[in-house]
């Protein structure tokens, strides 16, 4: 708990001081060090400040300051348990004065270390996070994979680590949403130790962020990741000297194999305990012109303790000088804000006149100059450090002529693998489902329960679960594309087309991710800086055919077009893309104004994906799919079954007795509803069952197939037939429900219509407005209807 939560008369043992730099130092100087007992003497009339007693003398703290002190409450006269510590005692600030029992307890409880991973996109943060915690977060070889923060807890040498994986950032300016996000995280969550992950093969650029973290004056350790590649190139780095130079311990690690992880954790503990010899606060020099101005502003900010607590005054001063809007907002509450602004403007004008360039460039140039100087003394790059295999592959896959055909071939291969390779395991699961169905038929007594299990549950869930292998294969392929670095190239070659439709190459990655699932894809648009581009990318994402729609394709394509499967797949996916492109163009034209953001996406070197990461990712998707089967799909199947099962003939009789002339005995509720809506869908070649399946698929698109499974089990004559045989069997009117043309129309409709509820929710959440969700529902359904109509009319003639 925090010191501010203790009430008058209560006591606590200090566990740790949050915050940073000057504030932290001052509170520690006042005697609030770990293990000390603090007693609340009294609250001031307005509850602020509060008077405390620390080992014999009284001090007063503002409530806000007391919030930065973490304590454990103790009762007066308590027997404090004597718990032995697991590690050697730190020679920390004057702790020899401590009474031993309170000391031990604070040591024990204070074992929690909050660690945040911060670094550029694609430097291996998530890999490191997975290594450290055994988690299974998704890694990808391009920027912007992690858009949410993830937290995990693990134990190491008696300490509890709370580890947070943050989105990648190049700096801590208020330029992109991620940068703001990371910065707010640093301010509000105050991690004890920052692990700055850097890609050592790209040290110069990666260290720019490091200089900003140094400005912030936080406890920090640098993990030199990708050391394996660096070593293999034959380059060398004297990281001991470099670390000493910048006052931050540095360690080589290989996140991919786990090399160096223990040493990293040991160093984090040492930094946390304040016993690492390298740790000191340096100022990254900004040149005489800027330094003088920064000093003036620092002094003015220091006069405002409530503000200086959020970030170090030096960091605030530099950012304020650069005109950072968020820092401006922070400083707004300062009593000398007007004076600050005047001073800042005067100083900045002066610097810009002297240097003849804008202040941000001057600061960046000075920082890079500092980095270059430090690296010149410590790093020896091998002359042939250029990654030759990467440039060779790039010459082919981003080639003007071959780039697109290769992309299409890769997609075609993926669909072929998804369909053809998937057939074998699919057959096995199918037989298992059939076997289960026979078993139920033989051993369960006839009645409603048997019908529910056989038709509702096995027919519904069993009908969808057979597609698990296809979905796993698709995810495996996507994961391979992402992790190898090809995805970034796909975005690169698409940039031109994306520009034509008023978007950015970066928008392409969320679109391809949409092939897996639209929900994370929509979240991934957070890496797009421009608001209008982001909105458009979100709105067109549902046209990307997600894996939930795959079962329907496999079912219908397997039934009607088995010999051209991969091509039909590709055509469907391309149709989705074309609709997305048209929609994007229309949106840009009529709703959003043009905006140009420069294409600043990195093209990381190709890396062979580790089998472990790919399998892990695929596996987690499989688990997700199975969970969905046991949840919403099961639930929906039962509902659909019940609506289709009732009213029974005997239920219908009383209705007739009361003089009601409508004969309910033939139509179930579902059939009646389906037939009522069906006139709208008839031009598309839909029977009432297809209409019902499409309606039922609104919560989640897998339900389309599970509903077909339930609706087509009722025929007594077909107990042993597969679902695809039942779809092509003649119905009451003597014709089959599905023809090749109506199958295509149905797939087109399901591809394009109203996004599933999870996607609509994601759209509303990410855009911040329900109107966009409503737009998606209406617009997509309309588009779907028109496209399915065109498809049906066309193919009814052709096929
Ligand atoms: P993040 O964007 O910082 O979270 O980075 P990721 O953890 O997603 O990793 C980016 C890419 O770098 C992936 O392709 C990883 O497989 C690869 N990678 C991560 N750590 C290492 C490493 O130590 N050595 C090598 N060779 N590759 C790595
Ligand atoms: Mg990541």
């Amino acid at each position: 708990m925090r010191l501010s939560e203790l009430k008058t008369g209560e006591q606590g043992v200090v566990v740790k001081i949050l915050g940073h730099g000057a504030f932290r130092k001052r509170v520690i100087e006042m005697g609030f060090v770990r293990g000390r007992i603090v007693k609340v003497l009294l609250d001031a009339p307005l509850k602020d400040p509060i008077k405390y007693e620390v080992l014999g003398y009284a001090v007063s703290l503002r409530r806000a300051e007391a919030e930065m002190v973490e304590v454990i409450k103790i009762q007066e006269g308590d027997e404090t348990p004597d718990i032995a510590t697991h590690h050697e005692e730190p020679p920390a600030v004057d702790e020899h004065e401590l009474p031993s029992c309170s000391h031990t307890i604070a040591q024990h409880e204070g074992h929690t270390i909050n660690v945040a991973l911060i670094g550029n996109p694609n430097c291996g943060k998530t890999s490191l996070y997975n290594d450290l915690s055994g988690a299974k977060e998704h890694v990808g070889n391009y920027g912007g994979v992690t858009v949410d923060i993830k937290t995990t807890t693990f134990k190491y040498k008696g300490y509890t680590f709370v580890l947070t994986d943050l989105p990648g950032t190049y700096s801590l300016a208020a330029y992109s949403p991620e940068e703001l996000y990371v910065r707010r995280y640093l301010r509000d969550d105050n991690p004890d130790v920052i692990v700055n992950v850097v890609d050592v093969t790209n040290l110069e650029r990666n260290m720019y962020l490091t200089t900003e973290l140094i400005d912030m004056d936080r406890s920090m350790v640098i993990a030199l990741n990708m050391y394996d590649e660096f070593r293999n190139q034959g380059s060398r780095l004297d990281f001991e000297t470099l670390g000493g130079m910048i006052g931050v311990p540095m360690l080589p690690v290989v996140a991919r194999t786990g090399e160096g992880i223990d040493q990293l954790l040991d160093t984090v503990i040492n930094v946390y305990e304040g016993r690492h010899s390298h740790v000191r606060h340096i100022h990254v020099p900004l040149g005489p012109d800027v330094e003088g101005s920064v000093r003036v502003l620092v002094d003015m900010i220091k006069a405002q303790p409530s503000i200086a607590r959020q970030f170090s005054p030096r960091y605030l001063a530099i950012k304020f000088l650069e005109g950072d809007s968020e820092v401006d907002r922070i400083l707004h509450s300062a009593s000398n804000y007007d004076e600050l602004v005047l001073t800042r403007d005067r100083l900045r004008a002066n610097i810009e006149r002297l240097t003849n360039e804008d202040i941000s460039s001057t600061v960046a140039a000075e920082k890079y100059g500092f980095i270059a100087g430090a690296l010149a003394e410590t790093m020896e790059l091998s002359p042939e450090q250029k990654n030759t295999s990467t440039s060779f592959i790039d010459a082919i896959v981003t080639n003007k002529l071959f780039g697109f055909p290769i992309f299409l071939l890769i997609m075609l291969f993926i669909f072929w693998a998804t369909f053809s390779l998937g057939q074998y395991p699919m057959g096995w699961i199918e037989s298992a489902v059939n076997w289960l169905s026979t078993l139920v038929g033989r051993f369960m007594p006839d009645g409603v329960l048997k019908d529910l299990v056989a038709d509702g549950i096995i027919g519904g869930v069993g009908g969808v679960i057979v597609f698990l292998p296809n979905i796993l294969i698709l995810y495996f392929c996507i994961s391979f594309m992402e992790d190898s670095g090809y995805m970034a190239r796909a975005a690169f070659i698409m940039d031109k087309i994306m520009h034509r439709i008023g978007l950015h190459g970066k928008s392409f990655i969320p679109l391809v991710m949409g092939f897996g699932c639209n929900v994370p894809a929509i979240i991934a648009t957070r890496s797009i800086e421009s608001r209008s581009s982001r909105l458009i990318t979100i709105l067109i994402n549902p046209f990307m055919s997600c894996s939930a729609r795959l079962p329907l394709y496999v079912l219908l394509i397997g039934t009607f077009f088995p010999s051209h499967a991969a091509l039909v797949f590709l055509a469907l996916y391309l149709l989705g893309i074309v609709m997305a492109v048209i929609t994007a163009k229309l949106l840009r034209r009529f709703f959003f104004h043009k905006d140009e953001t420069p294409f600043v996406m990195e093209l990381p070197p190709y890396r062979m994906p580790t089998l472990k990461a790919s399998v892990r990712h695929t596996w987690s998707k499989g688990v997700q799919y199975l969970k969905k089967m046991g949840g919403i799909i099961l639930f929906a199947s039962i509902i659909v079954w019940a609506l289709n099962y009732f009213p029974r003939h005997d239920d219908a009789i009383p209705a007739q007795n009361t003089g009601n002339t409508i004969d309910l005995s033939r139509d179930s509720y579902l059939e009646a509803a389906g037939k009522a809506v069906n006139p709208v869908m008839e031009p598309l070649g839909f029977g009432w069952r297809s209409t019902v399946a499409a309606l039922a698929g609104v919560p989640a698109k897998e339900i389309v197939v599970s509903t077909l499974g339930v609706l087509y089990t009722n025929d007594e004559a077909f107990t042993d037939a597969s679902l695809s045989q039942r779809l092509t069997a003649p119905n009451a009117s003597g014709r089959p429900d599905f023809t090749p043309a109506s199958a295509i129309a149905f797939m087109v409709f399901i591809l394009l219509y109203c996004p599933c509820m999870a996607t609509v929710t994601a759209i509303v959440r990410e855009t911040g407005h329900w109107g966009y969700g409503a737009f998606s529902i209406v617009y997509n359904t309309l588009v779907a209807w028109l496209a399915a109509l065109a498809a049906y009319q066309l193919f009814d003639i052709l096929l």
Side-chain angles (χ1 to χ4, degrees):
M1 71 192 297
R2 299 290 160 88
L3 183 55
S4 52
E5 294 164 39
L6 287 183
K7 300 201 179 57
T8 307
E10 289 180 339
Q11 297 191 358
V13 179
V14 177
V15 174
K16 67 181 164 202
I17 312 293
L18 307 168
H20 64 86
F23 161 73
R24 201 162 170 263
K25 228 179 273 159
R26 215 182 84 224
V27 178
I28 291 173
E29 278 166 9
M30 286 191 307
F32 290 83
V33 271
R34 178 143 50 90
R36 275 210 182 152
I37 296 179
V38 186
K39 187 171 174 188
V40 187
L41 289 179
L42 61 109
D43 278 3
L46 293 171
K47 296 258 171 212
D48 209 3
I50 310 165
K51 199 166 163 191
Y52 294 101
E53 183 188 276
V54 181
L55 284 188
Y57 73 99
V59 281
S60 82
L61 281 187
R62 292 263 179 78
R63 183 166 290 274
E65 289 164 337
E67 252 162 36
M68 307 299 265
V69 179
E70 202 167 302
V71 296
I72 319 162
K73 192 165 130 183
I74 49 170
Q75 306 296 333
E76 215 157 346
D78 247 8
E79 277 284 324
T80 36
D82 192 22
I83 309 152
T85 46
H86 302 287
H87 58 285
E88 57 172 273
E89 286 194 1
V93 247
D94 42 79
E95 274 182 347
H96 48 272
E97 305 168 14
L98 303 175
S100 65
C101 58
S102 63
H103 185 183
T104 2
I105 184 177
Q107 287 266 316
H108 186 73
E109 296 277 331
H111 277 175
T112 300
I113 311 181
N114 293 304
V115 178
L117 296 176
I118 296 185
N120 286 185
N122 211 39
C123 64
K125 294 176 299 301
T126 304
S127 304
L128 195 63
Y129 176 87
N130 288 345
D131 271 347
L132 288 170
S133 63
K136 301 174 182 58
E137 290 306 335
H138 181 33
V139 297
N141 197 7
Y142 57 87
V145 185
T146 309
V147 282
D148 253 336
I149 58 164
K150 309 255 163 39
T151 298
T152 178
T153 306
F154 63 93
K155 290 224 186 276
Y156 178 77
K157 295 204 175 161
Y159 289 84
T160 306
F161 281 77
V162 179
L163 182 71
T164 307
D165 185 23
L166 290 166
T169 55
Y170 293 108
S171 80
L172 293 170
Y175 175 54
S176 77
E178 280 128 355
E179 289 170 1
L180 263 183
Y181 195 90
V182 171
R183 197 156 81 174
R184 289 197 185 134
Y185 176 85
L186 285 177
R187 185 187 65 195
D188 300 336
D189 287 65
N190 255 314
D192 297 317
V193 180
I194 292 171
V195 172
N196 176 206
V197 186
V198 299
D199 172 359
V200 67
T201 62
N202 206 342
L203 196 53
E204 195 156 352
R205 197 210 58 215
N206 273 251
M207 274 187 65
Y208 186 75
L209 178 65
T210 309
T211 62
E212 297 212 307
L213 290 169
I214 289 175
D215 288 341
M216 277 195 174
D217 191 11
R218 297 297 185 104
S219 294
M220 183 159 68
V221 176
I222 294 176
L224 299 161
N225 194 28
M226 317 240 177
Y227 214 78
D228 52 337
E229 282 184 17
F230 187 73
R231 234 174 356 217
N232 290 344
Q233 285 167 6
S235 305
R236 271 208 306 268
L237 176 71
D238 180 0
F239 51 84
E240 278 294 331
T241 310
L242 182 59
M245 219 183 261
I246 63 171
V248 184
M250 287 182 147
L251 271 306
V253 296
V254 182
R256 183 181 263 224
T257 59
E259 192 185 324
I261 298 298
D262 286 354
Q263 290 89 320
L264 180 67
L265 287 177
D266 290 341
T267 312
V268 168
I269 294 175
N270 278 336
V271 168
Y272 175 75
E273 298 287 7
R275 46 177 190 218
H276 199 290
S277 57
H278 277 349
V279 178
R280 71 200 162 92
H281 178 48
I282 64 152
H283 284 183
V284 177
L286 298 175
D289 302 333
V290 182
E291 278 299 338
S293 309
V294 167
R295 220 166 302 134
V296 172
L297 290 174
V298 163
D299 287 339
M300 292 175 73
I301 293 170
K302 270 189 178 160
Q304 305 281 327
S306 67
I307 286 165
R309 228 181 351 258
Q310 305 187 22
F311 286 115
S312 81
R314 182 175 168 86
Y315 175 78
L316 289 173
I318 296 172
K319 287 292 170 199
F320 189 55
L321 201 56
E322 288 185 68
D324 185 294
S325 55
E326 171 99 345
V327 167
D328 203 281
R329 217 168 307 135
I330 292 176
L331 290 178
H332 210 93
S333 60
S335 57
N336 58 356
Y337 175 71
D338 295 334
E339 195 192 336
L340 269 169
V341 172
L342 282 178
T343 317
R344 190 259 320 259
D345 291 347
R346 180 173 53 77
L347 293 169
R348 184 162 65 186
N350 191 31
I351 296 170
E352 290 185 346
R353 190 172 43 78
L354 285 173
T355 57
N356 230 341
E357 60 180 357
D358 77 286
I359 176 94
S360 299
S361 320
T362 312
V363 170
E366 290 291 341
K367 285 190 164 171
Y368 273 119
F370 169 79
I371 297 168
L375 292 185
E377 286 179 45
T378 50
M379 186 162 73
E380 226 177 281
L381 280 183
S382 114
E384 72 253 39
Q385 54 136 341
K386 266 241 162 302
N387 200 327
T388 47
S389 61
T390 288
S391 41
F392 177 72
I393 302 175
D394 268 351
I396 301 171
V397 302
T398 62
N399 182 287
K400 254 207 251 64
L401 277 154
F402 307 132
F404 279 107
I406 289 177
F407 177 67
L408 287 180
L409 279 178
I410 291 176
M411 298 304 280
L412 201 61
F413 169 79
I414 292 178
F415 297 134
W416 171 82
T418 304
F419 184 77
S420 304
L421 294 185
Q423 291 289 316
Y424 302 99
M426 188 175 144
W428 307 331
I429 302 181
E430 217 162 28
S431 348
V433 170
N434 280 343
W435 173 77
L436 204 65
S437 182
T438 328
L439 219 61
V440 169
R442 195 171 310 153
F443 292 111
M444 277 184 77
D446 282 346
V448 179
L449 194 62
K450 176 177 175 177
D451 291 345
L452 169 67
V453 174
D455 301 340
I457 295 176
I458 299 182
V461 176
V464 192
I465 217 160
V466 297
F467 302 102
L468 178 64
N470 308 86
I471 286 175
L472 292 185
I473 294 172
L474 181 70
Y475 267 115
F476 186 85
C477 294
I478 294 180
S479 155
F480 190 92
M481 282 215 299
E482 287 179 348
D483 212 8
S484 63
Y486 180 73
M487 199 75 114
R489 271 69 186 186
F492 180 76
I493 59 174
M494 292 302 280
D495 187 48
K496 209 165 185 166
I497 295 185
M498 301 305 274
H499 254 150
R500 288 250 171 83
I501 60 171
L503 287 181
H504 189 272
K506 254 190 186 172
S507 296
F508 186 69
I509 290 182
L511 294 182
V512 178
M513 280 174 74
F515 289 152
C517 176
N518 297 142
V519 175
I522 285 170
I523 296 171
T525 58
R526 287 184 195 165
S527 64
I528 299 168
E529 287 100 0
S530 137
R531 165 109 182 131
S532 66
S533 297
R534 190 173 162 219
L535 283 175
I536 295 176
T537 312
I538 289 175
L539 290 176
I540 65 178
N541 206 294
F543 288 130
M544 298 296 116
S545 186
C546 69
S547 63
R549 289 167 246 194
L550 191 67
L552 182 74
Y553 305 158
V554 177
L555 175 69
L556 292 184
I557 292 175
T559 306
F560 293 100
F561 314 100
S563 46
H564 300 98
L567 272 179
V568 182
F569 267 111
L570 186 66
L572 278 169
Y573 280 75
L574 286 179
L575 175 69
I577 295 176
V578 169
M579 285 303 165
V581 167
I582 296 174
T583 305
K585 241 188 138 87
L586 291 176
L587 285 173
R588 185 58 96 189
R589 176 94 190 244
F590 293 111
F591 294 103
F592 301 106
H593 294 297
K594 203 171 179 64
D595 72 341
E596 288 287 338
T597 34
F599 188 66
V600 282
M601 213 177 75
E602 250 189 282
L603 293 182
Y606 287 100
R607 302 198 165 95
M608 193 59 197
T610 55
L611 191 65
K612 198 170 94 193
S614 298
V615 167
R616 220 161 39 181
H617 182 218
T618 309
W619 175 245
S620 73
K621 294 296 171 192
V623 171
Q624 233 171 31
Y625 190 72
L626 289 177
K627 276 191 187 146
K628 218 170 167 186
M629 292 299 115
I632 185 165
I633 310 292
L634 176 65
F635 180 71
S637 299
I638 294 175
I639 300 272
V640 168
W641 170 84
L643 288 175
N644 192 41
Y645 193 76
F646 299 106
R648 307 296 295 163
H649 299 273
D650 24 335
D651 297 348
I653 294 164
Q656 285 168 336
N657 287 348
T658 55
N660 193 338
T661 52
I662 301 168
D663 180 14
L664 288 170
S665 64
R666 227 170 278 146
D667 287 2
S668 65
Y669 293 125
L670 207 58
E671 193 167 356
K675 285 179 175 165
V677 185
N678 209 40
V680 186
M681 308 304 268
E682 231 151 44
L684 320 182
F686 287 20
W688 72 266
R689 287 187 175 93
S690 322
T691 305
V692 166
L695 280 177
V698 171
K701 296 200 168 177
E702 291 95 340
I703 300 176
V704 174
V705 169
S706 69
T707 302
L708 289 178
V710 174
L711 293 182
Y712 283 94
T713 47
N714 275 353
D715 273 320
E716 297 299 324
F718 286 105
T719 37
D720 283 338
S722 71
L723 187 50
S724 62
Q725 283 166 321
R726 289 186 205 139
L727 294 181
T728 49
N731 60 15
S733 63
R735 285 180 301 131
D737 269 0
F738 279 95
T739 62
S742 74
I744 290 181
F746 192 56
M747 288 190 288
V748 167
F749 188 80
I750 299 299
L751 162 67
L752 301 174
Y753 85 129
C754 168
C756 74
M757 281 307 119
T759 304
V760 173
T761 312
I763 292 175
V764 173
R765 205 180 43 221
E766 294 297 315
T767 57
H769 199 295
W770 63 268
Y772 290 107
F775 170 85
S776 269
I777 295 173
V778 174
Y779 174 81
N780 291 22
T781 308
L782 211 65
V783 167
W785 192 86
L786 290 172
L789 178 71
Y792 182 66
Q793 301 299 343
L794 181 70
F795 287 103
D796 205 27
I797 300 167
L798 289 182
L799 296 175

